[in-house]
Amino acid sequence: MKHLWIKITLAAVAAIGVLFFFRTSGLPSEDTGKGEAPAPHADKFDPPVVITTAKAMHHYGKLRFGDTTENNPITRWARDRLGIIQTNKWIVTDQNEAMATRVKLALSSGEELPDVLFLTNHEIPELLDDLVASDRVMNVEDAFAKYAPPRVKEAFEQNPDVWKTVTLYGKRWGLPQISDGKVGDPILWIRQDWLDRLHLQAPATLDELEALLDAFTNGDPDGNGKRDTVGLALAGKNSLNSWMGDASFLFGAYGEQPYQWNRGQDGRLTYGSIQPTVKTALIRLADWYRKGYLDPDFGTHDEQKAAALFAEGRAGIVSGPGWMGGWPLGESIPAKEGAVFKPYPYPAGPDGKIGRIGSRPSYGSYFFRKGFERMDAVFAYWDQMLGHALEDLDSDFAIGFGEGYDYIHKDGQVVYDFPDVTSTISDYLLFAPGSPPNPVHESIESRVFRGHIQNVYEQKLASTASRLYLEGRIVGDMQLKYAQKNEFIGPDTPTMSTQWPLLTKLEKETFLKIVYGKTAADSFDEFIRLWTEYGGGQITEEVNNQ
């Protein structure tokens, strides 16, 4: 069961497209008889503050020991320590945009919103304008100024871009999570045993990478005497730059990233997918497809299918985040049969360029019902959780969220590797503020990898994370300066809200047809014309004026 907490946590994050990695830990539960209750906080609210919320629950977020969604180690901690009682006004399944649908229904019917509503970065652009227009959510600026503790204010001061995700009409309408700014940054994962068998080295240039793709496709790298492997596992179903199985290293090697807004030298934002360097990258990707370096059906493969193609030994290379060393690679079947996975930095393009998609500054935000009057309780809870994210040794959550869930006591020691270990108890947090990047200190993954295991946070990571996971995160850090981040992270513009589905369809079809060789590369020029004519030109103006 070792490393299962990483697998479940990352699978959960990936399932909703929220690629923040909030390091989990917690407190023994009084009601299950598995530990002493914490002493009440000096500022515990009396009478208790009741806060209603909404939960999008995962199918794997199961509770134990008779716990319920409103009575579990997390909710009991909030009640006993802070005097905050959490009740769930809505519970929906975390699939098929259930939360967004529930919010739209409430707005259209006049139903009162929960006190606290969490929306992901996928939901906010579409819903923020409607929430503000309904006059149902509060502007958080005054409450933040009045109640946010010093370290909370400092975290936002150091990461001001997160406010862009919830800003509309010059006002801030939510409290964003803060990403560590690198968790989604991808790297190359390569079958090291295939490299060794073919006596090859990891690529330093794009040409060397292409030679490796050829060897992994035509050189029988698995030694079974069959031509049954491909060089690169690519996910083309959603986009060529999704969160796993991406081609961002190829686009970055030639210039700008597609599918996002990039800032030019003149300071204006331009949409990456209509830039000439993207055409050049697509031409090379089409050549790779023609030579058989990609799976014939890559255009139907989603992110997990592409990862599986690599993990199951049918592809020699995949691009994806450093955390893949925990999941899915740490749990793959070939790993038990001698497969060796190794993370590598991206190679340089023809002009020495290196580039990759970058992590978002925030992957979700909390919104508050207009008229909700207990923001003091919100920031008391937020501060406690932020302390854990900052590796506060005095945090109540230093060892785990719930005994019997993500840790147990055995022979007087805290144990993290035991049957049925799970981190999903963290799904029941009222607030998860994220993991603000630390601009000064060495990452915890780097410290643990080199054997610095002193505090409880390092001890827990050392007990639960594989060396492959740690190494992947470290390799990801090596090329932080090459991250090409989306420069527009605000709500949808007026034209975007009506025309973006059409433009996205046009973009997807054009790119795949070029790579599949179904249309000439010059169709890219017609795509630019149509994209601009069908609303892209107006959207560009709106994005720059917002």
Side-chain angles (χ1 to χ4, degrees), residues 161 164 256-257 260-272 275 484-489 543-544 546:
D161 283 350
K164 295 178 181 178
E256 297 195 59
Q257 294 294 337
Q260 66 181 44
W261 294 87
N262 306 310
R263 193 171 300 279
Q265 293 183 349
D266 60 358
R268 281 181 58 82
L269 295 177
T270 58
Y271 192 56
Q275 304 310 309
Q484 298 169 300
K485 297 179 183 291
N486 189 353
E487 294 289 338
F488 179 75
I489 52 176
V543 164
N544 279 282
Q546 193 172 89

Side-chain angles (χ1 to χ4, degrees), residues 458-501:
E458 294 166 348
Q459 293 164 6
K460 179 175 182 179
L461 187 61
S463 298
T464 56
S466 67
R467 297 285 289 179
L468 186 64
Y469 166 81
L470 297 174
E471 188 176 4
R473 294 280 283 172
I474 292 169
V475 171
D477 288 350
M478 291 169 58
Q479 293 189 321
L480 286 177
K481 66 180 180 180
Y482 299 122
Q484 298 169 300
K485 297 179 183 291
N486 189 353
E487 294 289 338
F488 179 75
I489 52 176
D492 287 351
T493 69
T495 306
M496 195 180 288
S497 64
T498 59
Q499 295 300 105
W500 203 248

Side-chain angles (χ1 to χ4, degrees), residues 403 407-419:
E403 186 164 6
Y407 75 96
I408 60 173
H409 281 100
K410 184 177 180 180
D411 299 328
Q413 301 292 322
V414 178
V415 177
Y416 298 106
D417 184 11
F418 60 94

Side-chain angles (χ1 to χ4, degrees), residues 226-264:
K226 301 177 182 178
R227 191 180 183 280
D228 57 357
T229 58
V230 296
L232 179 68
L234 184 64
K237 181 177 181 179
N238 298 313
S239 85
L240 298 176
N241 266 8
S242 198
W243 53 272
M244 195 161 56
D246 65 286
S248 70
F249 67 92
L250 181 59
F251 294 112
Y254 286 104
E256 297 195 59
Q257 294 294 337
Y259 309 105
Q260 66 181 44
W261 294 87
N262 306 310
R263 193 171 300 279

